[in-house]
Amino acid sequence: MMRAFLVVMDSVGCGGAPDAAAFGDEGANTLGHIAAECAAGRAEEGRSGPLRMPNLDALGLGAAIRLATGAAAPRLAAVPKGRWGAATEVSRGKDTPSGHWELAGVPVPWDWTYFPDRVPAFPADLVAEVCRLAGVSGILGNCHASGTEIIDRFGAQHLRTGWPICYTSADSVFQIAAHEEVFGLERLVKLCADIAPRLHAMKVGRAIARPFVGTEGDFHRTGNRRDFAIPPPAPTLLDVVAGAGRATHAIGKIGDIFSHRGISTLWKGKDDAALFEHLDRLVDVAEEGSLTFANFVEFDSNFGHRRDVSGYARQLEWFDARLGGFLARLRAGDLAIFTADHGNDPTWRGTEHTRERVPVVCAGVGAGEIGLCDFVDVGASVAAHLGLRIEKGRSFL
């Protein structure tokens, strides 16, 4: 019996989405633009020179970028030794749940609710309910903001008043930041869990607990984030594999994204380095017939949203270097697919995700071009490799 490893490099898009203009993202290309900035010597903080990703490029990463956009990415030009292609999303969003659900075989059948980019951003009745649940007389923020900027702006006031910091973004999210020690981590998580059903009824995708610690001038977020997402509207790849009596291992945000459905074991960590330790261990011990589904978030959270090209390039190179040991320990018959859920071009305007195609590169199933495929084809291919079938998509294996 075979094993499968589905690894999502969060936000590592490769441009070329046919509907990008409808999202204001025509021309966005996360990987291509990072490679170009590196080649031009404009991504020199903590690294230097052209973008180096020899392991993924050998599997077909550069070829996938060329396929998606028609343009080459500097220094990503290896002759592919793996299966490679680029996938296009049909769900009407460029967010984490949409991308992951569709990769797992379930396109989103509704339009998400987004909060307007104004102050206040949230309706008064929602604010009142947050206050009631938290036992406070007001909230801070009530706006669009980045997670690090918002705690710098309101952290000290939060400590004085005890009011939670509530904010959103261009994604369908309602985020609550609070101090782990002063407000309390359990209290914050409970508040998000309690408000989540109301948000889900509004078709807001996620309520997110964003704990932080520190003192004024030195606030920083912790690794105890919790997402409360709308459950997928149909059985996903995880449900199908678990329903067949197979083991399913979720690394990182996967448990939260899929509302912990169809998951045998969940492996969390404070950062991507800790998550890679889980992936390295599971390639040695995961059961025959199992699925390991991983999300590596720091490309997106630490560098894409912050428009940090050098940092994003460093993270790509770190990930690729770590990948060498993992690939060497795959067993005969294993399938490993490396892909993404959306883009987040750090050279782009604003701070939000970008609508892009995503690379699909595969190890363990020979070489050859997949071509342009759909997100759901990724899930269908994993299922087929495991001798199973999901409702949507077709296998490219």
Side-chain angles (χ1 to χ4, degrees):
M1 196 178 290
M2 302 172 178
R3 305 184 302 171
F5 298 85
L6 177 53
V7 179
V8 177
M9 303 175 292
D10 202 302
S11 86
V12 183
C14 59
D19 59 356
F23 294 81
D25 294 329
E26 186 173 18
N29 183 351
T30 299
L31 280 166
H33 287 160
I34 292 170
E37 291 295 291
C38 290
R42 293 191 292 266
E44 298 287 303
E45 296 176 18
R47 60 163 310 281
S48 186
L51 184 65
R52 293 176 289 273
M53 300 183 68
N55 289 305
L56 283 172
D57 192 27
L59 291 176
L61 185 66
I65 299 168
R66 292 193 297 275
L67 175 66
T69 65
R75 296 297 184 94
L76 297 177
V79 175
K81 298 177 182 178
R83 297 292 301 278
W84 58 273
T88 305
E89 185 175 11
V90 300
S91 298
R92 296 182 294 274
K94 51 180 179 177
D95 53 88
T96 295
S98 296
H100 282 77
W101 291 1
E102 195 167 325
L103 288 169
V106 181
V108 179
W110 56 67
D111 289 326
W112 296 108
T113 293
Y114 302 94
F115 294 109
D117 190 1
R118 66 183 184 222
V119 180
F122 307 125
D125 59 339
L126 178 61
V127 172
E129 181 64 4
V130 171
C131 291
R132 185 187 72 80
L133 291 170
V136 296
S137 57
I139 66 168
L140 301 172
N142 204 344
C143 60
H144 280 234
S146 76
T148 50
E149 179 263 342
I150 197 79
I151 61 175
D152 288 339
R153 282 173 57 197
F154 292 105
Q157 192 176 354
H158 165 71
L159 294 182
R160 290 194 301 270
T161 63
W163 292 3
I165 305 169
C166 301
Y167 63 105
T168 187
S169 70
D171 292 337
S172 180
V173 294
F174 185 85
Q175 304 186 79
I176 307 179
H179 199 283
E180 275 196 8
E181 297 156 358
V182 177
F183 190 88
L185 178 59
E186 289 185 9
R187 182 184 175 200
L188 170 61
V189 171
K190 184 177 187 303
L191 174 59
C192 287
D194 289 346
I195 198 63
R198 184 184 184 112
L199 293 164
H200 295 168
M202 300 166 60
K203 291 297 185 283
V204 175
R206 288 175 291 165
I208 306 177
R210 290 286 201 170
F212 65 94
V213 294
T215 57
E216 186 170 1
D218 187 32
F219 293 121
H220 53 276
R221 297 191 298 191
T222 74
N224 293 319
R225 164 181 171 161
R226 282 287 306 276
D227 291 42
F228 296 89
I230 294 179
T236 71
L237 173 66
L238 285 162
D239 295 315
V240 170
V241 176
R246 313 283 186 82
T248 56
H249 300 281
I251 298 176
K253 289 168 44 177
I254 298 300
D256 291 330
I257 294 166
F258 289 91
S259 297
H260 299 274
R261 268 185 17 196
I263 294 171
S264 306
T265 55
L266 175 63
W267 308 98
K268 302 277 276 188
K270 66 177 182 178
D271 53 25
D272 277 3
L275 297 181
F276 215 113
E277 293 294 329
H278 294 311
L279 185 63
D280 273 341
R281 179 174 47 79
L282 286 167
V283 76
D284 292 330
V285 304
E287 303 87 344
E288 292 299 315
S290 65
L291 168 63
T292 298
F293 196 167
N295 170 282
F296 288 88
V297 71
E298 289 184 342
F299 304 105
D300 185 59
S301 61
N302 288 2
F303 308 111
H305 287 299
R306 299 178 189 181
R307 296 302 188 250
D308 181 351
V309 179
S310 294
Y312 208 129
R314 288 197 308 271
Q315 191 73 1
L316 288 168
E317 292 173 335
W318 167 83
F319 183 84
D320 190 84
R322 286 294 305 264
L323 209 55
F326 168 82
L327 292 171
R329 300 205 305 281
L330 288 171
R331 300 174 188 168
D334 284 347
L335 166 67
I337 297 180
F338 303 93
T339 187
D341 52 343
H342 49 72
N344 200 348
D345 187 341
T347 73
W348 207 243
R349 56 185 170 271
T351 62
E352 302 304 334
H353 297 157
T354 43
R355 181 75 164 187
E356 301 179 38
R357 286 184 169 124
V358 299
V360 179
V361 295
C362 311
V365 287
E369 181 176 349
I370 294 165
L372 294 175
C373 63
D374 296 328
F375 273 37
V376 290
D377 295 340
V378 175
S381 301
V382 172
H385 179 77
L386 296 175
L388 302 170
R389 183 180 179 278
I390 59 175
E391 183 175 337
K392 294 184 181 295
R394 59 185 181 86
S395 174
F396 48 65
L397 298 180

